[in-house]
Amino acid sequence: MTALDAAGEIFAVTDVLVDQPMLRRSLSDPSAGPEQRVELARTLFGSRVGPHALETIERVVRDSWTDPRHFARGVEREGVVVALKGAAGEGSLKRVTDELHTVSRAVAGSADLTALLRSAVYDLEAKRGLVGGLLEAGHPVTKLLAERAIAGHRRTFSQTLDSYLEFAADLAEVAVAKVTVAHPLDEARLERLRAALTARVGRPVSLQVDVDPAVIGGINVSIGHDVYESTV
């Protein structure tokens, strides 16, 4: 079984936990010992998911959770990490992150797309078809994570994808710099910017570049909570 398959199974378990509050409370009950919770998880999911997915779920179940909703999100987060690790293992992590960033910005930059993906009128399959049209040539991991982001229960599609990109950056041990410029930068300027930011933060930097004409003659860069502005 591939990492992609395991991630899909973990997401399916997440949906069960979201739909069944009593179940997620039982699996995260602090009054029960970790092994008791793990045994319950094995009973419920052992015949439904593969070894990789089950091992991941057991690891989350062993942790301490004060809020059952956080537990369900923790399971989902591990599914995202499993998918990203699979991409990294085959040397495709950069492609996946580039594709996720591109589709995230495409949706965030379109009021119509954002409204459609948040609308209760359109069912999940219709929304998946809409995003699938933007990712026809996308990597399988990109498609899986984009589909998962559509089902996000708390945030917008683009916000959810941005959180996935943060997981990918942690996995690759790089800092993500969100760069907004008035006009596209050529490769030479991008390399100078990457080198300057790498020197500033002390670790490799991945650039996510967006073009916004409102940033006249300058550049806005944010890395985590730090924001930098300068002229290009």
Side-chain angles (χ1 to χ4, degrees):
M1 176 175 291
T2 67
L4 190 70
D5 295 328
E9 291 179 341
I10 294 168
F11 293 149
V13 169
T14 300
D15 290 336
V16 172
L17 295 173
V18 170
D19 291 339
Q20 299 187 29
M22 290 187 64
L23 177 58
R24 66 174 182 261
R25 281 197 293 269
S26 296
L27 286 169
S28 60
D29 183 2
S31 67
E35 292 308 316
Q36 184 178 347
R37 297 195 301 270
V38 166
E39 188 57 36
L40 176 59
R42 288 173 180 164
T43 300
L44 292 169
F45 305 119
S47 62
R48 300 183 181 184
V49 302
H52 190 174
L54 184 61
E55 179 183 347
T56 302
I57 294 164
E58 289 177 2
R59 185 169 63 250
V60 181
V61 167
R62 281 194 176 91
D63 290 339
S64 298
W65 301 93
T66 57
D67 188 327
R69 292 170 298 181
H70 295 167
F71 164 67
R73 293 170 197 155
V75 174
E76 181 175 37
R77 181 174 60 249
E78 288 303 311
V80 174
V81 172
V82 166
L84 291 171
K85 283 184 176 179
E90 63 177 38
S92 300
L93 185 60
K94 185 179 186 306
R95 174 185 169 184
V96 168
T97 56
D98 286 347
E99 290 174 349
L100 289 175
H101 175 69
T102 298
V103 73
S104 172
R105 294 308 92 196
V107 172
S110 169
D112 289 341
L113 279 175
T114 299
L116 285 171
L117 290 178
R118 300 191 72 174
S119 173
V121 175
Y122 293 89
D123 63 21
L124 193 57
E125 287 307 312
K127 294 175 182 179
R128 285 174 173 165
L130 183 65
V131 172
L134 302 174
L135 288 168
E136 289 183 0
H139 190 281
V141 169
T142 307
K143 294 179 179 180
L144 176 68
L145 294 181
E147 287 187 1
R148 188 65 212 168
I150 294 169
H153 300 284
R154 294 188 305 127
R155 295 177 289 187
T156 68
F157 174 79
S158 293
Q159 288 171 334
T160 302
L161 285 190
D162 287 348
S163 72
Y164 295 173
L165 289 169
E166 291 175 4
F167 297 156
D170 289 342
L171 186 62
E173 298 183 336
V174 300
V176 175
K178 297 181 180 180
V179 181
T180 307
V181 292
H183 304 286
L185 301 180
D186 60 31
E187 283 301 319
R189 288 183 175 181
L190 287 173
E191 283 305 316
R192 288 201 298 272
L193 177 61
R194 185 181 290 108
L197 292 173
T198 296
R200 179 183 287 266
V201 302
R203 59 172 170 157
V205 171
S206 173
L207 302 181
Q208 295 179 1
V209 182
D210 294 318
V211 177
D212 181 355
V215 186
I216 300 175
I219 181 171
N220 179 285
V221 179
S222 64
I223 301 177
H225 297 295
D226 297 324
V227 178
Y228 312 95
E229 292 186 4
S230 66
T231 57
V232 178

